[in-house]
Amino acid sequence: QFPRRCVTPEGLRSGQCCPSSPSSPSDPCGASLGRGQCVSIAADRRPHGPQYPHDGRDDRERWPVRFFNRTCQCNGNFSGADCGRCRHGYSGPNCDQRVTAVRRNVMQLSAAEKRAFVSALDQAKRTVHPDLVICTRRYQEIYGPDGNTPQFQNITIYNYFVWTHYYSVGKTYMGAGQPSFGGVDFSHEGPGFVTWHRFHLLQLERDMQDMLQDPTFALPYWNFAIGGSECDICTDDLLGARNNFDANGISANSVFSQWRVICESVDDYDVLGTICNSTETSPIQRNPAGNVARPLVQRLPEPQDVVDCLELNTFDTSPFYSTSSQSFRNTIEGYSTPQGNYDPVVRSLHNLAHLFLNGTGGQTHLSPNDPIFVLLHTFTDAIFDEWLRRHGPGQVVYPEENAPIGHNRQFNMVPFWPPITNAEMFVTAPENLGYTYAVQWPTRPFTLSEIITIAIVAAVLVVAVVGGAITCMMRARAHRSDEGLEPLLGEQFRSYSEEDRRYEKSQSVV
Ligand SMILES: O=C1C=c2cc(C(=O)O)[nH]c2=CC1=O
């Protein structure tokens, strides 16, 4: 959420978070090197939708101005809290070398690549984030009991990924003894669903690239649209098989059976007005296809569902919410049928894949604790990128106002730092964000009327070609008969007669 260097009592009181990079001390934002400058934060003031009627009560409104109102604005390809890093897709000391991370199907990685990926995730679960810390209290209590002890904590790279999701979906605290308000979600049920999760993954990928010192490290994806009731990536060489002794647990042969979740006590946070911290508690729970109370979520999405949702032409439709119909965003998110019809009982695509997991990965405040989340969301993001590529929509199709709070085009996504808007993620990935997907997209089978049309066109073409060939042959034959010669026989006839003449001549000399 915020750089460790900024959350001192003085830093918080100044409202300014413009640190210097370790390679250029006493040089906020690397200004003397031309990398960036400290500027005021422009936070979206356009109206949000009616779902949130409690303006003024939540630290996440007009993010991040409750905490900081000045940040580094980086030039060119420089980026990061102190402009000491490169924009996604660039590397090198001057950030002028292009790099592209290729996100591949996790099932198609070699055995060594699978081991490397699992081990990288496990390292991220245990490595303290080098730059960022999380708040453990609302802003009202951020200076601590003595007024001088900022309430922030270190957190590991992977747990930071979990925490940011939790913080974005939490309820609004309405005061002691009041029920918290749940009609708010800064990363789901709105157009920002695709842009928020895109940045969420990019941040993890970048943190892991830095941790591994490998700028080409890429998160793989799980093609969850395979139908059926088998979790194909739930094996011990990947995300962990089912535990033979506990249907809700992960096999002891998988390192993920050792992982412990954070942010489990959501009721306590809501009642006490506290915020999840970095304390790890229970093991991951997972029981794929095991939700007997909801048979509709015992199956994975079908390949055809992806084909159908990619054909929806409109990015999002009013009210830009989980009730939107004929909206690509609400369809990929999974609140409508794959053809785009909103139906409150339907769960499809992304939502269906979450609910199929039936455990930690199916509960929004906890789901990234199960690392399947990463692979489920890279595939969701691949579909979003394919939709952007096919429909080439431009930013104008992303709603500028009246989307649910947090989801307007120019809103800074909660709780990322430095501030980044939804609009900045509404671009094609290979050209703008330095990563690409290696995916073979399923194709739509032909409809009956298309088959009939193709057959008619093919028949017409055959008739035309064969008819044309016959006509040409007949014309050629007629032309040659006009000259009185049968061409092949004529050639032979001329050559034999000349030879015969030469032979006869030689015989007469003798
Ligand atoms: O983690 C998530 C869990 C979800 C469950 C649903 C649902 O449709 O009930 N949706 C979810 C989104 C998540 O991100």
Side-chain angles (χ1 to χ4, degrees), residues 165 188 197 294 335 347 350-351 354-355 361-365 367 373 377:
H165 193 261
H188 302 82
H197 285 88
R294 288 182 77 177
Y335 288 107
R347 288 294 185 272
H350 152 267
N351 279 341
H354 269 292
L355 296 174
Q363 301 169 63
T364 312
H365 66 284
S367 52
F373 180 102
H377 271 279

Side-chain angles (χ1 to χ4, degrees), residues 236-291:
D236 283 335
D237 59 343
L238 285 173
L239 280 294
R242 193 189 292 275
N243 188 311
N244 287 334
F245 307 100
D246 171 10
N248 292 306
I250 297 178
S251 148
N253 296 325
S254 164
V255 70
F256 300 118
S257 65
Q258 308 292 320
W259 281 30
R260 296 292 177 267
V261 308
I262 63 165
C263 304
E264 203 173 18
S265 310
V266 72
D267 292 339
D268 290 353
Y269 315 137
D270 290 345
V271 170
L272 302 172
T274 55
I275 292 178
C276 154
N277 59 32
S278 51
T279 307
E280 297 184 347
T281 51
S282 321
I284 296 167
Q285 302 252 301
R286 189 196 292 157
N287 181 3
N291 190 341

